[in-house]
Amino acid sequence: MSRKVSIQTLADQLGLSKYAVSRALSGKTGVSESTRARVLELARALGYRQNTPGSTGVSAAADQSEPPFALICMNQLNRGEPHYWQRVLSGMISGCNERGWHHAIVSPSLGTGDAHTPPERAIAPHLDWERCAGVIVMGAFPHAVLQRLAQTGRPIVLVDHQEPLLNCDTISHDNLEAGITVVRYLLSLQARRIGLITDDGRAASFAQRKIGMELALNHFHTGQGHAATFREWNVPYEQGEWVDQLATEIKNMPEHERPDAWIGVNDDIALQWMNKLQEIGISTPQDCLVVGIDNVHSAATSSPPLTTVNLCKEELGQRAIEALQRRIERPGTPKETVMLATSLIPRDSA
């Protein structure tokens, strides 16, 4: 007696998810052509037939169903940030469109139902979870929220955030490299007293950039045979008062102790600080150098234009969708940590 060949049979033999096999069989977007060819070849070899009346085989049309969607988790703070996260989101939407996917954006929180509430209902009860291809998490979320997302059973890709306790694919920029790059560049310009303005705990990327800067300072020395000094100012980045408070401190500091080079852990901090320095009579680059990280649009049009490190924001979003598709098609493969390279953009501020 012949054994019935099901979608699960095909998925098990090919090492694919049922979702990927179903999309391939129905001729829908969302899987690569090579994956579709593998599915169709095995389906024919095993004699798979759709259970749809009037079906002619593996090309039977289940294509009247709605397309799948990627669930994009984005916290409320980042939703209003136009220079970085909105550009990453734009890349994700482009990646979804290329695959014929829809997308849905949610902002899950810790107050999403008790432990007995199904995670799908707690996170987004208004969505048709049968169509959810997977989850993209943008930036930092509490571990409890990530655990709740994992309970849905959908593949998860973390963007610009790392969570060692979850076995997820991670896509980010090489923030360590960015930090090393800016310090090595300032040392090459004979900077002796480097000041960093950051916001500890604001983002994992900020912490990684600072580690890169410290590594560079520990391993590379100035041409005069002694290491540059490095001082960190930790500010409440989201509160604008930090600019005036730091300006007061710097004005009262002896000139020989003031940094001759400043690093903003991102461009927004660097631009705010460069403007404030000029207000208090410290010009850039005559009196001190200023660099940032991110390469936001306003960095090129500031006065003077800001030296920065370019991060490929739209590409980061597109790569996250690629990683989600890979995980759908190859659920059993080892998890990946992908880092996109950065590049220095020298301008007049340094």
Side-chain angles (χ1 to χ4, degrees):
M1 182 180 293
S2 62
R3 181 171 59 90
K4 180 181 178 182
V5 179
S6 65
I7 288 180
Q8 187 64 62
T9 304
L10 300 175
D12 291 343
Q13 292 204 26
L14 292 168
L16 300 173
S17 66
K18 288 179 66 177
Y19 168 86
V21 172
S22 177
R23 301 297 291 182
L25 291 173
S26 61
K28 300 286 284 184
T29 57
V31 295
S32 66
E33 289 307 312
S34 61
T35 295
R36 192 186 312 281
R38 290 172 59 212
V39 171
L40 295 178
E41 181 181 1
L42 182 62
R44 293 190 184 97
L46 297 182
Y48 172 80
R49 290 293 182 272
Q50 295 273 13
N51 292 325
T52 306
S55 168
T56 58
V58 294
S59 61
D63 57 357
Q64 300 303 314
S65 62
E66 287 292 318
F69 67 85
L71 183 68
I72 300 174
C73 297
M74 188 177 189
N75 66 43
Q76 291 290 349
L77 189 62
N78 290 339
R79 280 197 184 202
E81 194 286 306
H83 304 297
Y84 184 87
W85 286 113
Q86 285 297 325
R87 292 178 62 184
V88 175
L89 177 62
S90 175
M92 291 182 186
I93 294 173
S94 175
C96 286
N97 292 340
E98 290 174 4
R99 290 161 177 78
W101 295 359
H102 289 174
H103 68 278
I105 303 174
V106 297
S107 298
S109 65
L110 289 174
T112 52
D114 58 36
H116 301 292
T117 304
E120 294 87 351
R121 186 171 182 79
I123 295 164
H126 60 290
L127 295 177
D128 177 9
W129 280 84
E130 291 299 320
R131 293 173 43 229
C132 180
V135 180
I136 304 284
V137 179
M138 298 177 65
F141 275 87
H143 179 70
V145 173
L146 297 179
Q147 281 186 313
R148 205 76 166 115
L149 290 167
Q151 289 170 3
T152 68
R154 269 67 179 183
I156 298 176
V157 175
L158 304 180
V159 179
D160 213 12
H161 181 66
Q162 294 180 343
E163 182 53 66
L165 298 180
L166 285 183
N167 194 21
C168 297
D169 295 311
T170 301
I171 311 295
S172 66
H173 292 110
D174 194 340
N175 289 292
L176 197 73
E177 176 190 58
I180 292 172
T181 297
V182 292
V183 165
R184 291 193 66 180
Y185 181 66
L186 289 174
L187 292 179
S188 75
L189 298 179
Q190 305 304 309
R192 293 292 181 272
R193 300 179 303 278
I194 298 176
L196 167 67
I197 306 176
T198 187
D199 185 353
D200 282 351
R202 172 67 177 80
S205 59
F206 286 8
Q208 292 161 359
R209 293 170 190 180
K210 186 175 79 170
I211 292 171
M213 296 171 199
E214 293 170 340
L215 286 173
L217 284 160
N218 288 335
H219 290 86
F220 302 101
H221 298 272
T222 64
Q224 296 184 2
H226 62 276
T229 61
F230 182 74
R231 180 173 176 182
E232 173 189 348
W233 277 267
N234 183 38
V235 303
Y237 167 43
E238 299 299 330
Q239 303 173 19
E241 295 83 2
W242 72 266
V243 182
D244 292 328
Q245 293 169 358
L246 182 55
T248 299
E249 179 181 346
I250 296 304
K251 282 193 295 184
N252 294 329
M253 182 180 292
E255 187 172 348
H256 70 277
E257 294 181 7
R258 293 177 187 166
D260 57 12
W262 290 93
I263 302 171
V265 76
N266 68 4
D267 281 353
D268 189 31
I269 289 176
L271 289 168
Q272 289 187 60
W273 183 235
M274 184 168 66
N275 290 336
K276 177 57 67 173
L277 285 173
Q278 293 180 134
E279 282 182 22
I280 64 177
I282 302 175
S283 62
T284 304
Q286 292 82 2
D287 299 324
C288 67
L289 310 176
V290 179
V291 299
I293 298 173
D294 277 349
N295 191 30
V296 300
H297 291 308
S298 54
T301 58
S302 62
S303 180
L306 180 69
T307 292
T308 185
V309 174
N310 184 53
L311 304 183
C312 304
K313 292 162 276 294
E314 288 82 3
E315 289 83 352
L316 185 70
Q318 292 173 344
R319 186 65 180 82
I321 298 299
E322 290 177 15
L324 181 58
Q325 181 177 13
R326 174 188 175 275
R327 182 54 50 199
I328 290 167
E329 296 186 1
R330 306 180 64 191
T333 55
K335 298 300 186 289
E336 288 188 338
T337 298
V338 177
M339 292 188 181
L340 303 187
T342 65
S343 57
L344 181 76
I345 302 181
R347 298 193 181 108
D348 293 348
S349 72

